[in-house]
């Protein structure tokens, strides 16, 4: 697609064009993605007026991760579930906000796709007008699944099995970034509120091989092991030859931190820490946060690791399992993996 023709390309047009290049495509996936986009537009509208309505704030309910659920999280979760359950393309869904799988009610037809999502990531930032986002991944129901029952095992697939992944970022503008993998590229679309359409704004995003930015919550320094501390110290230590020190940027919304690093280069880290001995594996969730962004970053030429190997190869054991996450520019993440795994001593 040349630059001239891509001006004004809507997301729907883009998905349809991609669909036509795949002779096996039935249009089911296009329908699914279109409905998700409608849900995101509704969430975006609500996020934009959050400061104006009493929807802002805390419901007092505690979610499955033992965190307080804010009203907008609940709203976003409901919007996605209600819009997606009737499209007829989904076998089931899984959300960060729900402890169990979300089944498709009997009155609606079921399909063969599985949608996993974090409806509103970065929830601690809702009240303070900092960017937040929706993260999603799409899988196919395993072909050897013959029962009519929805099984957890259908969903617990490694990230490499995703057929699509992406996110919506509700920031200074609302942007959707998605990929369908297999060399189709990562593309970004900006919502034009006056026309209510996502238009192609970032075609074929490539993340720089190496960045100059590191993003991590350094307040956790005291809870990290020696290797992790050494790694962060490395990024901060001046060295002309390797363009150090790196710049530190950390918003506290994964989508926002990831999106900046995707466009400009850099590494985002949420390492394992010893703060809560019951959760020695970091904070972020494999299925709804790490895997979708890992698919995006790898398709854009970057890498995502848990400190030992690729995020996308991890066989999930539970729906809400957490994982250490190092994600971004390939060289930076490879270095992090080498250090965390002990293969390289700095
Ligand atoms: P959430 O899903 O409850 O919003 O939590 C995930 C968020 C990420 O967006 C962000 O990267 C991380 O938590 C920030 O955590 P911390 O405040 O510990 O730095
Ligand atoms: Mg989240």
């Amino acid at each position: 697609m040349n630059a001239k023709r891509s001006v004004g390309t809507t997301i729907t047009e883009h998905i349809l064009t991609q669909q036509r290049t795949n002779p096996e495509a039935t249009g089911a996936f296009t329908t699914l993605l279109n409905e998700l986009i409608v849900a995101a537009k509704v969430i975006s509208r609500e996020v934009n007026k959050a400061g104006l309505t009493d929807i802002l704030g805390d419901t007092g309910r505690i979610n499955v991760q033992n965190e307080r659920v804010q009203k907008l999280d609940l709203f976003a979760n409901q919007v996605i579930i209600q819009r997606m359950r009737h499209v007829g393309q989904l076998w089931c869904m899984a959300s960060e906000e729900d402890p169990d799988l979300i089944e498709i009610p009997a009155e609606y037809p079921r399909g063969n796709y599985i949608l996993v999502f974090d409806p509103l990531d970065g929830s601690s930032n809702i009240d303070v007008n900092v960017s937040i986002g929706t993260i999603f991944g799409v899988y196919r129901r395993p072909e050897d699944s013959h029962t009519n029952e929805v099984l957890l095992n259908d969903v617990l697939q490694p990230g490499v099995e995703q057929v699509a992944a992406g996110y919506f970022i509700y920031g200074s503008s609302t942007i959707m970034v998605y990929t369908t993998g297999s060399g189709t590229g990562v593309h970004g679309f900006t919502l034009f509120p006056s026309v209510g359409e996502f238009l192609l704004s970032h075609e074929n995003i490539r993340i720089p091989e190496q960045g100059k930015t590191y993003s991590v919550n350094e307040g956790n320094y005291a809870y990290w092991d020696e290797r992790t501390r050494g790694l962060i110290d490395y990024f901060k230590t001046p060295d002309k030859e390797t363009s150090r020190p790196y710049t530190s940027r950390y918003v506290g919304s994964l989508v926002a931190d990831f999106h900046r690093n995707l466009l400009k280069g850099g590494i985002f880290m949420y390492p394992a820490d010893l703060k809560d001995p019951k959760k020695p594996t970091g904070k972020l969730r494999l299925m709804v946060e790490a895997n979708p962004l890992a698919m995006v970053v790898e398709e854009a030429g970057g890498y995502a690791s848990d400190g030992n190997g690729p995020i996308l190869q991890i066989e999930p054991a539970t729906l809400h399992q957490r994982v250490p996450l190092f994600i971004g520019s390939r060289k930076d993440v490879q270095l992090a993996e080498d250090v965390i795994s002990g293969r390289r001593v700095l």
Side-chain angles (χ1 to χ4, degrees):
M1 202 181 299
N2 65 36
K4 212 170 167 197
R5 277 189 53 217
S6 65
V7 170
T9 302
T10 67
I11 178 85
T12 314
E13 244 177 289
H14 195 267
I15 298 168
L16 282 172
T17 310
Q18 290 216 339
Q19 184 194 310
R20 278 183 217 117
T21 62
N22 179 358
E24 283 167 40
T26 58
F29 178 70
T30 306
T31 310
L32 187 163
L33 222 50
N34 269 330
E35 202 58 30
L36 188 63
I37 289 163
V38 175
K41 285 183 194 170
V42 175
I43 297 167
S44 174
R45 187 202 60 202
E46 218 55 31
V47 167
N48 282 338
K49 63 177 197 194
L52 301 170
T53 67
D54 71 350
I55 210 159
L56 184 73
D58 203 308
T59 60
R61 196 169 73 80
I62 303 290
N63 79 0
V64 64
Q65 317 285 351
N66 220 15
E67 300 151 335
R68 291 181 83 84
V69 178
Q70 294 184 289
K71 277 188 184 172
L72 264 178
D73 309 37
L74 267 186
F75 175 82
N77 198 38
Q78 280 162 10
V79 169
I80 295 176
I81 293 170
Q82 282 166 11
R83 290 218 72 93
M84 300 309 295
R85 66 185 180 180
H86 68 83
V87 290
Q89 319 299 351
L90 287 176
W91 176 241
C92 68
M93 292 180 262
S95 161
E96 183 183 305
E97 297 294 346
D98 288 276
D100 302 315
L101 294 178
I102 303 159
E103 298 209 20
I104 307 302
E107 64 260 39
Y108 302 122
R110 280 195 283 187
N112 282 325
Y113 287 108
I114 295 167
L115 176 70
V116 298
F117 60 95
D118 181 351
L120 209 55
D121 180 66
S123 43
S124 64
N125 279 325
I126 294 173
D127 283 353
V128 291
N129 215 3
V130 172
S131 302
I132 46 186
T134 299
I135 308 173
F136 67 91
V138 182
Y139 295 82
R140 274 204 190 90
R141 180 187 172 203
E143 274 164 19
D144 57 358
S145 170
H146 296 305
T147 154
N148 229 4
E149 236 179 290
V150 173
L151 302 172
L152 188 56
N153 265 348
D154 296 344
V155 181
L156 295 181
Q157 305 182 40
V160 70
E161 297 295 338
Q162 289 170 114
V163 293
Y167 57 87
F168 297 87
I169 176 166
Y170 313 108
S172 45
S173 44
T174 294
I175 291 183
M176 176 193 184
V177 172
Y178 90 106
T179 182
T180 49
S182 310
T184 55
V186 174
H187 309 285
F189 300 79
T190 302
L191 180 63
F192 278 56
S194 51
V195 281
E197 274 287 4
F198 281 96
L199 300 182
L200 184 60
S201 52
H202 301 72
E203 194 172 15
N204 200 15
I205 298 169
R206 303 296 300 167
I207 185 169
E209 228 190 353
Q210 185 164 7
K212 292 191 172 65
T213 301
Y214 75 100
S215 312
V216 69
N217 183 347
E218 278 195 82
N220 291 331
Y221 194 89
Y223 305 112
W224 292 334
D225 64 15
E226 283 306 309
R227 288 177 188 171
T228 309
R229 286 186 201 178
L231 175 68
I232 308 314
D233 289 343
Y234 173 88
F235 287 125
K236 291 158 60 164
T237 307
D239 175 51
K240 263 203 176 135
E241 214 174 291
T242 49
S243 304
R244 287 179 287 140
Y246 278 31
T247 294
S248 167
R249 290 281 183 277
Y250 190 75
V251 172
S253 272
L254 175 60
V255 171
D257 283 311
F258 176 82
H259 185 68
R260 181 200 51 242
N261 292 357
L262 180 71
L263 297 183
K264 306 222 175 218
I267 178 169
F268 172 93
M269 297 169 274
Y270 210 111
D273 64 52
L274 311 170
K275 208 178 341 178
D276 183 348
K278 280 186 285 182
K279 287 187 258 166
T281 47
K283 176 179 182 187
L284 300 174
R285 294 82 172 172
L286 174 63
M287 295 291 294
V288 296
E289 292 172 327
N291 271 338
L293 299 187
M295 181 179 185
V296 170
V297 87
E298 291 220 358
E299 185 67 25
Y303 182 42
S305 169
D306 70 348
N308 278 301
I311 287 284
L312 290 175
Q313 298 293 343
I314 298 174
E315 294 280 348
T318 63
L319 203 50
H320 295 284
Q321 97 185 48
R322 296 172 194 257
V323 72
L325 180 62
F326 302 85
I327 188 166
S329 292
R330 178 162 288 276
K331 281 190 174 165
D332 294 323
V333 177
Q334 192 58 60
L335 170 93
E337 183 182 287
D338 291 346
V339 172
I340 299 294
S341 64
R343 289 195 292 265
R344 176 168 169 186
V345 179
L346 291 170

